Amino acid sequence: MDLHYSDGDLAFRDQVRAFLDSHLPEDLRAKVLGHLRLSKDDFVRWHRILAKQGWVAPGWPVEFGGPGWTPVQRHIFEEECARAGTPRVMPFGIDMVAPVIMAFGSQEQKDFFLPRILSCEDWWCQGYSEPGSGSDLASLKTTAVRGVDDEGEHYIVNGQKTWTTLAQHADMIFCLVRTDSSVRKQEGISFLLIDMHSPGITVRPIIMLDEDHEVNEVFFDNVRVPVANLVGQENRGWTYAKYLLGHERTGIAAVGRSKRELAFLKRLARREQKNGRPLLEDPLFAAKVADLEIELMALEMTVLRVLAQASKSPGPEASLLKVRGTDIQQMLTELMLEAAGPMALPFDPAFLEGEEEHSAAGDDLAAPLASYYFNYRKTSIYGGSNEIQRNIITQMILGL
């Protein structure tokens, strides 16, 4: 595989950089690069800036409104966005449910939902995990019973989802539900698209250690869902769920963001002193940074190899990207804490939320790092825990 960019790729990179320089609002850039918290308005604003340019869905085919980029162009775009400090485009609509609708949805679902995802008219969340069904997702208990009345065919949904990211903002949720309990657990699951404004849905916040409201519990009490919102075939939802998780795990690798955070780590370590010299010149700390950078370079090469298989949807190799990508993200946050030392410990919610211009402790670079560290403990769990991913790698790649 040729790992050098062509002249056309380099010209494309220059085009992306010029766009980001002129269109990325400075307040959003400052928040992202400073590890501060983003609001729903921040995410939506950036989404719509990209949508106006036609760049909000890099992986979508042209027929559905995507830019028609090659895998290399998508990689360049994501890397340049990370380097510049853009907010993430929320993946639940663009990168997760949209590919499932494109591959398995009806024409009516494609015509209705995909344009609304592109425009951010609908904010989506993911209804997978349940209190007793995390890594063993196929054991889920939320039920959908099919019926018919004067208003037509529908499902009645009852149950609970948990750890539902940003459900407090969501207009729609894609849900795995049990539609047949008499068969093997993977065979009785269906994939439903549910309006979050439906009667019977309750969203209850889960406030995390750093007082952030990022995840939620979602309760379904006799929620009526039209059968038209069933994706694909009834009881085939496990197949669609695995397809979606392949896309999610590939994206979780987040090489571009990790490269940006590695640059931040080096900047921080140059600023901090040990024995009168920059911490980055300390042999032990420098060796840790070098080891991490080598791991990140190896991950990037693996991502490029996966992207080169443009005609295939992500397979078990997505588990490799998920495991190594999240390991690296966690190691980065650990080294940031180590570099900042005690200055990372004071907890300053007002600064994290943007209510104060500077941190109370006087170190704006260090102030968010403890919160950042704790938040990134979850990356090895969501999208399927890394322990489960290692089992997939063992069985499906190594054949053991």
Side-chain angles (χ1 to χ4, degrees), residues 253 255 258-259 292-300 322-334 376:
V255 169
S258 289
K259 290 171 75 172
L292 183 56
E293 187 163 8
I294 290 168
E295 292 287 344
L296 181 54
M297 292 170 64
L299 175 65
E300 183 174 21
K322 197 272 179 178
V323 171
R324 292 311 296 148
T326 55
D327 284 348
I328 287 168
Q329 291 161 30
Q330 291 182 341
M331 287 187 284
L332 279 163
T333 64
E334 291 166 12
Y376 267 71

mmCIF file with all atom_site columns, all heavy atoms in Angstrom, residues 253 255 258-259 292-300 322-334 376:
data_model
loop_
_atom_site.group_PDB
_atom_site.id
_atom_site.type_symbol
_atom_site.label_atom_id
_atom_site.label_alt_id
_atom_site.label_comp_id
_atom_site.label_asym_id
_atom_site.label_entity_id
_atom_site.label_seq_id
_atom_site.pdbx_PDB_ins_code
_atom_site.Cartn_x
_atom_site.Cartn_y
_atom_site.Cartn_z
_atom_site.occupancy
_atom_site.B_iso_or_equiv
_atom_site.pdbx_formal_charge
_atom_site.auth_seq_id
_atom_site.auth_comp_id
_atom_site.auth_asym_id
_atom_site.auth_atom_id
_atom_site.pdbx_PDB_model_num
ATOM 1   N N   . ALA A 1 253 ? -11.833 4.739  16.869 1.00 0.00 ? 253 ALA A N   1
ATOM 2   C CA  . ALA A 1 253 ? -10.365 4.800  16.828 1.00 0.00 ? 253 ALA A CA  1
ATOM 3   C C   . ALA A 1 253 ? -9.856  6.231  16.919 1.00 0.00 ? 253 ALA A C   1
ATOM 4   O O   . ALA A 1 253 ? -8.848  6.506  17.580 1.00 0.00 ? 253 ALA A O   1
ATOM 5   C CB  . ALA A 1 253 ? -9.843  4.143  15.549 1.00 0.00 ? 253 ALA A CB  1
ATOM 6   N N   . VAL A 1 255 ? -8.151  8.544  15.270 1.00 0.00 ? 255 VAL A N   1
ATOM 7   C CA  . VAL A 1 255 ? -6.712  8.794  15.135 1.00 0.00 ? 255 VAL A CA  1
ATOM 8   C C   . VAL A 1 255 ? -6.413  10.293 15.091 1.00 0.00 ? 255 VAL A C   1
ATOM 9   O O   . VAL A 1 255 ? -5.470  10.770 15.732 1.00 0.00 ? 255 VAL A O   1
ATOM 10  C CB  . VAL A 1 255 ? -6.168  8.095  13.871 1.00 0.00 ? 255 VAL A CB  1
ATOM 11  C CG1 . VAL A 1 255 ? -4.743  8.557  13.570 1.00 0.00 ? 255 VAL A CG1 1
ATOM 12  C CG2 . VAL A 1 255 ? -6.190  6.589  14.065 1.00 0.00 ? 255 VAL A CG2 1
ATOM 13  N N   . SER A 1 258 ? -6.510  11.848 18.486 1.00 0.00 ? 258 SER A N   1
ATOM 14  C CA  . SER A 1 258 ? -5.378  11.413 19.305 1.00 0.00 ? 258 SER A CA  1
ATOM 15  C C   . SER A 1 258 ? -4.091  12.114 18.883 1.00 0.00 ? 258 SER A C   1
ATOM 16  O O   . SER A 1 258 ? -3.247  12.454 19.726 1.00 0.00 ? 258 SER A O   1
ATOM 17  C CB  . SER A 1 258 ? -5.209  9.893  19.233 1.00 0.00 ? 258 SER A CB  1
ATOM 18  O OG  . SER A 1 258 ? -6.259  9.243  19.928 1.00 0.00 ? 258 SER A OG  1
ATOM 19  N N   . LYS A 1 259 ? -3.919  12.358 17.586 1.00 0.00 ? 259 LYS A N   1
ATOM 20  C CA  . LYS A 1 259 ? -2.740  13.101 17.133 1.00 0.00 ? 259 LYS A CA  1
ATOM 21  C C   . LYS A 1 259 ? -2.767  14.529 17.667 1.00 0.00 ? 259 LYS A C   1
ATOM 22  O O   . LYS A 1 259 ? -1.729  15.082 18.070 1.00 0.00 ? 259 LYS A O   1
ATOM 23  C CB  . LYS A 1 259 ? -2.673  13.088 15.609 1.00 0.00 ? 259 LYS A CB  1
ATOM 24  C CG  . LYS A 1 259 ? -2.343  11.705 15.040 1.00 0.00 ? 259 LYS A CG  1
ATOM 25  C CD  . LYS A 1 259 ? -2.483  11.645 13.534 1.00 0.00 ? 259 LYS A CD  1
ATOM 26  C CE  . LYS A 1 259 ? -1.352  12.334 12.827 1.00 0.00 ? 259 LYS A CE  1
ATOM 27  N NZ  . LYS A 1 259 ? -1.401  12.102 11.359 1.00 0.00 ? 259 LYS A NZ  1
ATOM 28  N N   . LEU A 1 292 ? 4.076   5.891  23.137 1.00 0.00 ? 292 LEU A N   1
ATOM 29  C CA  . LEU A 1 292 ? 2.693   6.186  22.771 1.00 0.00 ? 292 LEU A CA  1
ATOM 30  C C   . LEU A 1 292 ? 2.593   6.670  21.328 1.00 0.00 ? 292 LEU A C   1
ATOM 31  O O   . LEU A 1 292 ? 1.681   6.281  20.581 1.00 0.00 ? 292 LEU A O   1
ATOM 32  C CB  . LEU A 1 292 ? 2.134   7.240  23.734 1.00 0.00 ? 292 LEU A CB  1
ATOM 33  C CG  . LEU A 1 292 ? 0.670   7.628  23.563 1.00 0.00 ? 292 LEU A CG  1
ATOM 34  C CD1 . LEU A 1 292 ? -0.230  6.412  23.642 1.00 0.00 ? 292 LEU A CD1 1
ATOM 35  C CD2 . LEU A 1 292 ? 0.275   8.641  24.630 1.00 0.00 ? 292 LEU A CD2 1
ATOM 36  N N   . GLU A 1 293 ? 3.540   7.494  20.907 1.00 0.00 ? 293 GLU A N   1
ATOM 37  C CA  . GLU A 1 293 ? 3.523   7.995  19.537 1.00 0.00 ? 293 GLU A CA  1
ATOM 38  C C   . GLU A 1 293 ? 3.724   6.863  18.534 1.00 0.00 ? 293 GLU A C   1
ATOM 39  O O   . GLU A 1 293 ? 3.077   6.838  17.477 1.00 0.00 ? 293 GLU A O   1
ATOM 40  C CB  . GLU A 1 293 ? 4.594   9.071  19.348 1.00 0.00 ? 293 GLU A CB  1
ATOM 41  C CG  . GLU A 1 293 ? 4.528   9.749  18.003 1.00 0.00 ? 293 GLU A CG  1
ATOM 42  C CD  . GLU A 1 293 ? 5.284   11.063 17.952 1.00 0.00 ? 293 GLU A CD  1
ATOM 43  O OE1 . GLU A 1 293 ? 6.002   11.381 18.924 1.00 0.00 ? 293 GLU A OE1 1
ATOM 44  O OE2 . GLU A 1 293 ? 5.151   11.783 16.942 1.00 0.00 ? 293 GLU A OE2 1
ATOM 45  N N   . ILE A 1 294 ? 4.564   5.922  18.854 1.00 0.00 ? 294 ILE A N   1
ATOM 46  C CA  . ILE A 1 294 ? 4.769   4.764  17.973 1.00 0.00 ? 294 ILE A CA  1
ATOM 47  C C   . ILE A 1 294 ? 3.478   3.953  17.861 1.00 0.00 ? 294 ILE A C   1
ATOM 48  O O   . ILE A 1 294 ? 3.080   3.524  16.765 1.00 0.00 ? 294 ILE A O   1
ATOM 49  C CB  . ILE A 1 294 ? 5.920   3.886  18.510 1.00 0.00 ? 294 ILE A CB  1
ATOM 50  C CG1 . ILE A 1 294 ? 7.260   4.622  18.348 1.00 0.00 ? 294 ILE A CG1 1
ATOM 51  C CG2 . ILE A 1 294 ? 5.953   2.532  17.791 1.00 0.00 ? 294 ILE A CG2 1
ATOM 52  C CD1 . ILE A 1 294 ? 8.403   3.978  19.094 1.00 0.00 ? 294 ILE A CD1 1
ATOM 53  N N   . GLU A 1 295 ? 2.807   3.746  18.993 1.00 0.00 ? 295 GLU A N   1
ATOM 54  C CA  . GLU A 1 295 ? 1.535   3.017  18.963 1.00 0.00 ? 295 GLU A CA  1
ATOM 55  C C   . GLU A 1 295 ? 0.501   3.743  18.105 1.00 0.00 ? 295 GLU A C   1
ATOM 56  O O   . GLU A 1 295 ? -0.259  3.120  17.355 1.00 0.00 ? 295 GLU A O   1
ATOM 57  C CB  . GLU A 1 295 ? 0.999   2.843  20.394 1.00 0.00 ? 295 GLU A CB  1
ATOM 58  C CG  . GLU A 1 295 ? 1.807   1.918  21.266 1.00 0.00 ? 295 GLU A CG  1
ATOM 59  C CD  . GLU A 1 295 ? 1.626   0.457  20.872 1.00 0.00 ? 295 GLU A CD  1
ATOM 60  O OE1 . GLU A 1 295 ? 0.657   0.153  20.139 1.00 0.00 ? 295 GLU A OE1 1
ATOM 61  O OE2 . GLU A 1 295 ? 2.443   -0.374 21.277 1.00 0.00 ? 295 GLU A OE2 1
ATOM 62  N N   . LEU A 1 296 ? 0.479   5.055  18.203 1.00 0.00 ? 296 LEU A N   1
ATOM 63  C CA  . LEU A 1 296 ? -0.478  5.837  17.429 1.00 0.00 ? 296 LEU A CA  1
ATOM 64  C C   . LEU A 1 296 ? -0.167  5.765  15.935 1.00 0.00 ? 296 LEU A C   1
ATOM 65  O O   . LEU A 1 296 ? -1.077  5.657  15.098 1.00 0.00 ? 296 LEU A O   1
ATOM 66  C CB  . LEU A 1 296 ? -0.480  7.288  17.917 1.00 0.00 ? 296 LEU A CB  1
ATOM 67  C CG  . LEU A 1 296 ? -1.442  8.256  17.223 1.00 0.00 ? 296 LEU A CG  1
ATOM 68  C CD1 . LEU A 1 296 ? -2.870  7.728  17.244 1.00 0.00 ? 296 LEU A CD1 1
ATOM 69  C CD2 . LEU A 1 296 ? -1.366  9.638  17.883 1.00 0.00 ? 296 LEU A CD2 1
ATOM 70  N N   . MET A 1 297 ? 1.107   5.814  15.576 1.00 0.00 ? 297 MET A N   1
ATOM 71  C CA  . MET A 1 297 ? 1.492   5.690  14.167 1.00 0.00 ? 297 MET A CA  1
ATOM 72  C C   . MET A 1 297 ? 1.079   4.326  13.610 1.00 0.00 ? 297 MET A C   1
ATOM 73  O O   . MET A 1 297 ? 0.575   4.219  12.483 1.00 0.00 ? 297 MET A O   1
ATOM 74  C CB  . MET A 1 297 ? 3.003   5.897  14.018 1.00 0.00 ? 297 MET A CB  1
ATOM 75  C CG  . MET A 1 297 ? 3.481   7.307  14.299 1.00 0.00 ? 297 MET A CG  1
ATOM 76  S SD  . MET A 1 297 ? 5.292   7.427  14.397 1.00 0.00 ? 297 MET A SD  1
ATOM 77  C CE  . MET A 1 297 ? 5.750   6.985  12.724 1.00 0.00 ? 297 MET A CE  1
ATOM 78  N N   . ALA A 1 298 ? 1.269   3.273  14.410 1.00 0.00 ? 298 ALA A N   1
ATOM 79  C CA  . ALA A 1 298 ? 0.880   1.936  13.966 1.00 0.00 ? 298 ALA A CA  1
ATOM 80  C C   . ALA A 1 298 ? -0.632  1.836  13.784 1.00 0.00 ? 298 ALA A C   1
ATOM 81  O O   . ALA A 1 298 ? -1.120  1.228  12.821 1.00 0.00 ? 298 ALA A O   1
ATOM 82  C CB  . ALA A 1 298 ? 1.358   0.889  14.978 1.00 0.00 ? 298 ALA A CB  1
ATOM 83  N N   . LEU A 1 299 ? -1.374  2.455  14.699 1.00 0.00 ? 299 LEU A N   1
ATOM 84  C CA  . LEU A 1 299 ? -2.833  2.464  14.576 1.00 0.00 ? 299 LEU A CA  1
ATOM 85  C C   . LEU A 1 299 ? -3.263  3.183  13.305 1.00 0.00 ? 299 LEU A C   1
ATOM 86  O O   . LEU A 1 299 ? -4.167  2.723  12.588 1.00 0.00 ? 299 LEU A O   1
ATOM 87  C CB  . LEU A 1 299 ? -3.464  3.128  15.801 1.00 0.00 ? 299 LEU A CB  1
ATOM 88  C CG  . LEU A 1 299 ? -4.982  3.316  15.738 1.00 0.00 ? 299 LEU A CG  1
ATOM 89  C CD1 . LEU A 1 299 ? -5.698  1.970  15.704 1.00 0.00 ? 299 LEU A CD1 1
ATOM 90  C CD2 . LEU A 1 299 ? -5.471  4.143  16.941 1.00 0.00 ? 299 LEU A CD2 1
ATOM 91  N N   . GLU A 1 300 ? -2.633  4.305  13.003 1.00 0.00 ? 300 GLU A N   1
ATOM 92  C CA  . GLU A 1 300 ? -2.995  5.050  11.803 1.00 0.00 ? 300 GLU A CA  1
ATOM 93  C C   . GLU A 1 300 ? -2.776  4.205  10.550 1.00 0.00 ? 300 GLU A C   1
ATOM 94  O O   . GLU A 1 300 ? -3.611  4.212  9.632  1.00 0.00 ? 300 GLU A O   1
ATOM 95  C CB  . GLU A 1 300 ? -2.198  6.349  11.710 1.00 0.00 ? 300 GLU A CB  1
ATOM 96  C CG  . GLU A 1 300 ? -2.594  7.188  10.500 1.00 0.00 ? 300 GLU A CG  1
ATOM 97  C CD  . GLU A 1 300 ? -1.924  8.548  10.459 1.00 0.00 ? 300 GLU A CD  1
ATOM 98  O OE1 . GLU A 1 300 ? -0.871  8.715  11.123 1.00 0.00 ? 300 GLU A OE1 1
ATOM 99  O OE2 . GLU A 1 300 ? -2.450  9.438  9.777  1.00 0.00 ? 300 GLU A OE2 1
ATOM 100 N N   . LYS A 1 322 ? -10.963 -0.407 17.515 1.00 0.00 ? 322 LYS A N   1
ATOM 101 C CA  . LYS A 1 322 ? -11.620 0.050  18.736 1.00 0.00 ? 322 LYS A CA  1
ATOM 102 C C   . LYS A 1 322 ? -10.720 -0.165 19.949 1.00 0.00 ? 322 LYS A C   1
ATOM 103 O O   . LYS A 1 322 ? -10.541 0.729  20.778 1.00 0.00 ? 322 LYS A O   1
ATOM 104 C CB  . LYS A 1 322 ? -12.950 -0.698 18.898 1.00 0.00 ? 322 LYS A CB  1
ATOM 105 C CG  . LYS A 1 322 ? -13.913 -0.052 19.889 1.00 0.00 ? 322 LYS A CG  1
ATOM 106 C CD  . LYS A 1 322 ? -13.725 -0.511 21.311 1.00 0.00 ? 322 LYS A CD  1
ATOM 107 C CE  . LYS A 1 322 ? -14.689 0.191  22.248 1.00 0.00 ? 322 LYS A CE  1
ATOM 108 N NZ  . LYS A 1 322 ? -14.600 -0.246 23.643 1.00 0.00 ? 322 LYS A NZ  1
ATOM 109 N N   . VAL A 1 323 ? -10.127 -1.357 20.067 1.00 0.00 ? 323 VAL A N   1
ATOM 110 C CA  . VAL A 1 323 ? -9.284  -1.673 21.230 1.00 0.00 ? 323 VAL A CA  1
ATOM 111 C C   . VAL A 1 323 ? -8.058  -0.767 21.280 1.00 0.00 ? 323 VAL A C   1
ATOM 112 O O   . VAL A 1 323 ? -7.781  -0.115 22.289 1.00 0.00 ? 323 VAL A O   1
ATOM 113 C CB  . VAL A 1 323 ? -8.860  -3.154 21.216 1.00 0.00 ? 323 VAL A CB  1
ATOM 114 C CG1 . VAL A 1 323 ? -7.806  -3.423 22.295 1.00 0.00 ? 323 VAL A CG1 1
ATOM 115 C CG2 . VAL A 1 323 ? -10.077 -4.051 21.457 1.00 0.00 ? 323 VAL A CG2 1
ATOM 116 N N   . ARG A 1 324 ? -7.318  -0.699 20.188 1.00 0.00 ? 324 ARG A N   1
ATOM 117 C CA  . ARG A 1 324 ? -6.091  0.094  20.215 1.00 0.00 ? 324 ARG A CA  1
ATOM 118 C C   . ARG A 1 324 ? -6.387  1.576  20.285 1.00 0.00 ? 324 ARG A C   1
ATOM 119 O O   . ARG A 1 324 ? -5.688  2.335  20.964 1.00 0.00 ? 324 ARG A O   1
ATOM 120 C CB  . ARG A 1 324 ? -5.228  -0.201 18.980 1.00 0.00 ? 324 ARG A CB  1
ATOM 121 C CG  . ARG A 1 324 ? -4.655  -1.590 18.961 1.00 0.00 ? 324 ARG A CG  1
ATOM 122 C CD  . ARG A 1 324 ? -3.977  -1.972 20.277 1.00 0.00 ? 324 ARG A CD  1
ATOM 123 N NE  . ARG A 1 324 ? -2.810  -1.146 20.559 1.00 0.00 ? 324 ARG A NE  1
ATOM 124 C CZ  . ARG A 1 324 ? -2.421  -0.812 21.788 1.00 0.00 ? 324 ARG A CZ  1
ATOM 125 N NH1 . ARG A 1 324 ? -3.130  -1.166 22.840 1.00 0.00 ? 324 ARG A NH1 1
ATOM 126 N NH2 . ARG A 1 324 ? -1.333  -0.091 21.951 1.00 0.00 ? 324 ARG A NH2 1
ATOM 127 N N   . GLY A 1 325 ? -7.432  2.016  19.572 1.00 0.00 ? 325 GLY A N   1
ATOM 128 C CA  . GLY A 1 325 ? -7.769  3.438  19.611 1.00 0.00 ? 325 GLY A CA  1
ATOM 129 C C   . GLY A 1 325 ? -8.121  3.906  20.991 1.00 0.00 ? 325 GLY A C   1
ATOM 130 O O   . GLY A 1 325 ? -7.651  4.960  21.449 1.00 0.00 ? 325 GLY A O   1
ATOM 131 N N   . THR A 1 326 ? -8.939  3.136  21.703 1.00 0.00 ? 326 THR A N   1
ATOM 132 C CA  . THR A 1 326 ? -9.357  3.569  23.047 1.00 0.00 ? 326 THR A CA  1
ATOM 133 C C   . THR A 1 326 ? -8.224  3.397  24.058 1.00 0.00 ? 326 THR A C   1
ATOM 134 O O   . THR A 1 326 ? -8.101  4.206  24.988 1.00 0.00 ? 326 THR A O   1
ATOM 135 C CB  . THR A 1 326 ? -10.611 2.802  23.499 1.00 0.00 ? 326 THR A CB  1
ATOM 136 O OG1 . THR A 1 326 ? -10.374 1.390  23.419 1.00 0.00 ? 326 THR A OG1 1
ATOM 137 C CG2 . THR A 1 326 ? -11.798 3.153  22.614 1.00 0.00 ? 326 THR A CG2 1
ATOM 138 N N   . ASP A 1 327 ? -7.399  2.380  23.886 1.00 0.00 ? 327 ASP A N   1
ATOM 139 C CA  . ASP A 1 327 ? -6.221  2.256  24.765 1.00 0.00 ? 327 ASP A CA  1
ATOM 140 C C   . ASP A 1 327 ? -5.343  3.505  24.661 1.00 0.00 ? 327 ASP A C   1
ATOM 141 O O   . ASP A 1 327 ? -4.874  4.052  25.669 1.00 0.00 ? 327 ASP A O   1
ATOM 142 C CB  . ASP A 1 327 ? -5.392  1.028  24.380 1.00 0.00 ? 327 ASP A CB  1
ATOM 143 C CG  . ASP A 1 327 ? -6.012  -0.280 24.857 1.00 0.00 ? 327 ASP A CG  1
ATOM 144 O OD1 . ASP A 1 327 ? -6.951  -0.232 25.672 1.00 0.00 ? 327 ASP A OD1 1
ATOM 145 O OD2 . ASP A 1 327 ? -5.541  -1.354 24.401 1.00 0.00 ? 327 ASP A OD2 1
ATOM 146 N N   . ILE A 1 328 ? -5.107  3.949  23.433 1.00 0.00 ? 328 ILE A N   1
ATOM 147 C CA  . ILE A 1 328 ? -4.254  5.109  23.206 1.00 0.00 ? 328 ILE A CA  1
ATOM 148 C C   . ILE A 1 328 ? -4.888  6.373  23.782 1.00 0.00 ? 328 ILE A C   1
ATOM 149 O O   . ILE A 1 328 ? -4.210  7.201  24.411 1.00 0.00 ? 328 ILE A O   1
ATOM 150 C CB  . ILE A 1 328 ? -3.964  5.257  21.700 1.00 0.00 ? 328 ILE A CB  1
ATOM 151 C CG1 . ILE A 1 328 ? -2.984  4.155  21.259 1.00 0.00 ? 328 ILE A CG1 1
ATOM 152 C CG2 . ILE A 1 328 ? -3.392  6.644  21.366 1.00 0.00 ? 328 ILE A CG2 1
ATOM 153 C CD1 . ILE A 1 328 ? -2.839  4.027  19.756 1.00 0.00 ? 328 ILE A CD1 1
ATOM 154 N N   . GLN A 1 329 ? -6.194  6.532  23.592 1.00 0.00 ? 329 GLN A N   1
ATOM 155 C CA  . GLN A 1 329 ? -6.878  7.702  24.152 1.00 0.00 ? 329 GLN A CA  1
ATOM 156 C C   . GLN A 1 329 ? -6.721  7.741  25.672 1.00 0.00 ? 329 GLN A C   1
ATOM 157 O O   . GLN A 1 329 ? -6.475  8.806  26.260 1.00 0.00 ? 329 GLN A O   1
ATOM 158 C CB  . GLN A 1 329 ? -8.356  7.661  23.773 1.00 0.00 ? 329 GLN A CB  1
ATOM 159 C CG  . GLN A 1 329 ? -8.617  7.897  22.293 1.00 0.00 ? 329 GLN A CG  1
ATOM 160 C CD  . GLN A 1 329 ? -9.983  7.412  21.866 1.00 0.00 ? 329 GLN A CD  1
ATOM 161 O OE1 . GLN A 1 329 ? -10.927 7.400  22.650 1.00 0.00 ? 329 GLN A OE1 1
ATOM 162 N NE2 . GLN A 1 329 ? -10.101 6.994  20.613 1.00 0.00 ? 329 GLN A NE2 1
ATOM 163 N N   . GLN A 1 330 ? -6.868  6.599  26.320 1.00 0.00 ? 330 GLN A N   1
ATOM 164 C CA  . GLN A 1 330 ? -6.733  6.568  27.771 1.00 0.00 ? 330 GLN A CA  1
ATOM 165 C C   . GLN A 1 330 ? -5.289  6.839  28.209 1.00 0.00 ? 330 GLN A C   1
ATOM 166 O O   . GLN A 1 330 ? -5.060  7.552  29.191 1.00 0.00 ? 330 GLN A O   1
ATOM 167 C CB  . GLN A 1 330 ? -7.227  5.231  28.299 1.00 0.00 ? 330 GLN A CB  1
ATOM 168 C CG  . GLN A 1 330 ? -8.734  5.065  28.166 1.00 0.00 ? 330 GLN A CG  1
ATOM 169 C CD  . GLN A 1 330 ? -9.241  3.757  28.730 1.00 0.00 ? 330 GLN A CD  1
ATOM 170 O OE1 . GLN A 1 330 ? -8.482  2.800  28.913 1.00 0.00 ? 330 GLN A OE1 1
ATOM 171 N NE2 . GLN A 1 330 ? -10.529 3.693  29.003 1.00 0.00 ? 330 GLN A NE2 1
ATOM 172 N N   . MET A 1 331 ? -4.333  6.301  27.473 1.00 0.00 ? 331 MET A N   1
ATOM 173 C CA  . MET A 1 331 ? -2.932  6.561  27.820 1.00 0.00 ? 331 MET A CA  1
ATOM 174 C C   . MET A 1 331 ? -2.590  8.043  27.677 1.00 0.00 ? 331 MET A C   1
ATOM 175 O O   . MET A 1 331 ? -1.831  8.597  28.484 1.00 0.00 ? 331 MET A O   1
ATOM 176 C CB  . MET A 1 331 ? -2.006  5.697  26.960 1.00 0.00 ? 331 MET A CB  1
ATOM 177 C CG  . MET A 1 331 ? -2.005  4.232  27.351 1.00 0.00 ? 331 MET A CG  1
ATOM 178 S SD  . MET A 1 331 ? -0.758  3.245  26.468 1.00 0.00 ? 331 MET A SD  1
ATOM 179 C CE  . MET A 1 331 ? -1.520  3.065  24.850 1.00 0.00 ? 331 MET A CE  1
ATOM 180 N N   . LEU A 1 332 ? -3.159  8.686  26.671 1.00 0.00 ? 332 LEU A N   1
ATOM 181 C CA  . LEU A 1 332 ? -2.932  10.121 26.503 1.00 0.00 ? 332 LEU A CA  1
ATOM 182 C C   . LEU A 1 332 ? -3.431  10.906 27.712 1.00 0.00 ? 332 LEU A C   1
ATOM 183 O O   . LEU A 1 332 ? -2.731  11.785 28.227 1.00 0.00 ? 332 LEU A O   1
ATOM 184 C CB  . LEU A 1 332 ? -3.631  10.617 25.233 1.00 0.00 ? 332 LEU A CB  1
ATOM 185 C CG  . LEU A 1 332 ? -2.896  10.381 23.917 1.00 0.00 ? 332 LEU A CG  1
ATOM 186 C CD1 . LEU A 1 332 ? -3.844  10.536 22.735 1.00 0.00 ? 332 LEU A CD1 1
ATOM 187 C CD2 . LEU A 1 332 ? -1.717  11.344 23.774 1.00 0.00 ? 332 LEU A CD2 1
ATOM 188 N N   . THR A 1 333 ? -4.638  10.591 28.173 1.00 0.00 ? 333 THR A N   1
ATOM 189 C CA  . THR A 1 333 ? -5.167  11.332 29.327 1.00 0.00 ? 333 THR A CA  1
ATOM 190 C C   . THR A 1 333 ? -4.355  11.048 30.586 1.00 0.00 ? 333 THR A C   1
ATOM 191 O O   . THR A 1 333 ? -4.197  11.924 31.440 1.00 0.00 ? 333 THR A O   1
ATOM 192 C CB  . THR A 1 333 ? -6.647  10.988 29.577 1.00 0.00 ? 333 THR A CB  1
ATOM 193 O OG1 . THR A 1 333 ? -6.793  9.612  29.937 1.00 0.00 ? 333 THR A OG1 1
ATOM 194 C CG2 . THR A 1 333 ? -7.490  11.281 28.337 1.00 0.00 ? 333 THR A CG2 1
ATOM 195 N N   . GLU A 1 334 ? -3.837  9.841  30.707 1.00 0.00 ? 334 GLU A N   1
ATOM 196 C CA  . GLU A 1 334 ? -3.006  9.508  31.870 1.00 0.00 ? 334 GLU A CA  1
ATOM 197 C C   . GLU A 1 334 ? -1.714  10.333 31.872 1.00 0.00 ? 334 GLU A C   1
ATOM 198 O O   . GLU A 1 334 ? -1.290  10.870 32.919 1.00 0.00 ? 334 GLU A O   1
ATOM 199 C CB  . GLU A 1 334 ? -2.688  8.013  31.867 1.00 0.00 ? 334 GLU A CB  1
ATOM 200 C CG  . GLU A 1 334 ? -3.895  7.128  32.151 1.00 0.00 ? 334 GLU A CG  1
ATOM 201 C CD  . GLU A 1 334 ? -3.631  5.672  31.810 1.00 0.00 ? 334 GLU A CD  1
ATOM 202 O OE1 . GLU A 1 334 ? -2.448  5.318  31.566 1.00 0.00 ? 334 GLU A OE1 1
ATOM 203 O OE2 . GLU A 1 334 ? -4.598  4.896  31.776 1.00 0.00 ? 334 GLU A OE2 1
ATOM 204 N N   . TYR A 1 376 ? -12.724 9.728  29.980 1.00 0.00 ? 376 TYR A N   1
ATOM 205 C CA  . TYR A 1 376 ? -12.184 8.781  29.007 1.00 0.00 ? 376 TYR A CA  1
ATOM 206 C C   . TYR A 1 376 ? -11.980 7.380  29.570 1.00 0.00 ? 376 TYR A C   1
ATOM 207 O O   . TYR A 1 376 ? -11.592 6.467  28.834 1.00 0.00 ? 376 TYR A O   1
ATOM 208 C CB  . TYR A 1 376 ? -10.880 9.315  28.401 1.00 0.00 ? 376 TYR A CB  1
ATOM 209 C CG  . TYR A 1 376 ? -11.154 10.072 27.128 1.00 0.00 ? 376 TYR A CG  1
ATOM 210 C CD1 . TYR A 1 376 ? -11.776 11.312 27.162 1.00 0.00 ? 376 TYR A CD1 1
ATOM 211 C CD2 . TYR A 1 376 ? -10.846 9.533  25.893 1.00 0.00 ? 376 TYR A CD2 1
ATOM 212 C CE1 . TYR A 1 376 ? -12.069 12.007 26.009 1.00 0.00 ? 376 TYR A CE1 1
ATOM 213 C CE2 . TYR A 1 376 ? -11.123 10.214 24.717 1.00 0.00 ? 376 TYR A CE2 1
ATOM 214 C CZ  . TYR A 1 376 ? -11.741 11.459 24.785 1.00 0.00 ? 376 TYR A CZ  1
ATOM 215 O OH  . TYR A 1 376 ? -12.034 12.134 23.631 1.00 0.00 ? 376 TYR A OH  1
#
